[in-house]
């Protein structure tokens, strides 16, 4: 049975305790210890935790059985490290983007008395990963590999964020900056590595089947799947019912280097390009409406549906060719694809 959010969340208080116990060994003053506790709890708990729970579910699928109590705790601990990495990214992202809310609450930097202390707080969220990794996995023969995996994926995500920020700054619209090549780099590095590859790679190491072949097969399937997931996000931002989606799409007004605008730029006439130049990235609903109308004229919804069937077909072909002789299971990738194919939110 897949892990429930409640089961997964039951592990987190112990991990907070572990991190704070380490701080107390340095005689960190009480007010700073309490601040760290609030930082950990506010920014790490409260999301869907899909990435973290995927570590537990993948471990169970790879072992082909229910997990023991210890296996559940340790795989969930790795999952919470992914959630801490996500929290580190989100706290800093919200500052860079000037966002107002996150998971229904004010962003951390907008909470009373926080402000730019949030920059240091985001770094402390990342630091908690390595404290927990050392506490629970230092004796594991794959400890160095796990350590390097978190460092490498963190760096990859930061490269994607860097490329995104300089390609599509919110306050300076230049559509000449956009290209499908840049878009693919941004989504693979900013999203696919940490959201799709990392949870599975952690489970592969935990199950001690981390052969070069298994890791490469996982990467070859999960990176394109992560790219597809982000293209879906861009499509839903414009074409989904906001009530179903749970939010109002803002990619057009925010000058996002999205899949839709890149597709539009690749097929539009000079006159249509002028419409984009004059209206894209403007904080104006009338301008946004003109871009949306152009997307409809260019039949981007149909183009997306064709893309979806093509990419999903390619991913399924790759899954079918997975060599299970070294312990990897096709079911891991089938389950990931099942969760995202034709999603509406």
């Amino acid at each position: 049975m897949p892990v429930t959010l409640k089961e997964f969340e039951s592990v987190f208080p112990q991990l907070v305790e572990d991190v704070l116990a380490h701080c107390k060994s340095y005689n960190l003053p009480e007010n700073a210890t309490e601040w760290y506790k609030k930082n950990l709890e506010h920014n790490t708990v409260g999301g869907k935790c899909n990435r973290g729970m995927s570590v537990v579910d993948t471990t169970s699928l790879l072992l082909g059985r229910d997990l023991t109590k210890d296996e559940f705790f340790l795989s969930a601990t790795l999952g919470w490290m992914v959630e801490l990495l996500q929290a580190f990214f989100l706290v800093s992202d919200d500052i860079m983007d000037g966002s107002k809310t996150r998971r229904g609450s004010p962003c951390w930097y907008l909470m009373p008395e926080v402000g730019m202390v949030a920059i240091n707080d985001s770094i402390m969220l990342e630091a908690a990963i390595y404290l927990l990794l050392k506490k629970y996995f230092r004796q594991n023969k794959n400890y160095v590999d796990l350590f390097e995996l978190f460092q490498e994926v963190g760096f990859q995500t930061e490269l994607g964020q860097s490329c995104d920020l300089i390609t599509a700054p919110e306050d300076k619209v230049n559509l000449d900056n956009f290209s499908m090549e840049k878009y693919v780099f941004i989504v693979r590095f900013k999203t696919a590595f940490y959201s799709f590859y990392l949870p599975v790679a952690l489970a592969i190491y935990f199950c001690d089947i981390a052969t070069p072949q298994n890791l490469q097969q996982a990467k070859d399937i999960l990176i394109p799947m992560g790219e597809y997931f982000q293209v879906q996000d861009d499509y839903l931002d414009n074409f989904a019912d906001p009530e179903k989606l749970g939010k109002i799409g803002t990619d057009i007004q925010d000058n996002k280097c999205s899949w839709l605008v890149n597709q539009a730029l690749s097929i539009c006439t000079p006159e249509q390009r002028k419409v984009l130049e004059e209206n894209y990235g403007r904080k104006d609903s009338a301008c946004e409406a003109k871009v949306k109308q152009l997307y409809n004229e260019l039949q981007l919804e149909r183009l997306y549906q064709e893309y979806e069937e093509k990419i999903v077909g390619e991913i399924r072909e790759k899954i079918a060719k997975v060599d299970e002789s070294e312990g990897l299971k096709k079911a891991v990738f089938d389950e990931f694809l099942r969760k995202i194919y034709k999603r509406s939110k």
Side-chain angles (χ1 to χ4, degrees), residues 84-101:
L84 282 162
L85 187 67
Q86 160 89 335
F88 158 54
F89 294 146
L90 295 184
V91 170
S92 45
D93 272 10
D94 287 342
I95 298 169
M96 288 182 262
D97 294 345
S99 300
K100 302 294 181 219
T101 60

Side-chain angles (χ1 to χ4, degrees), residues 76-86 129 132-133 137 150:
T77 297
L78 286 171
W80 277 111
M81 291 179 206
V82 180
E83 293 298 326
L84 282 162
L85 187 67
Q86 160 89 335
I129 296 167
L132 294 168
L133 196 58
F137 294 92
F150 272 107

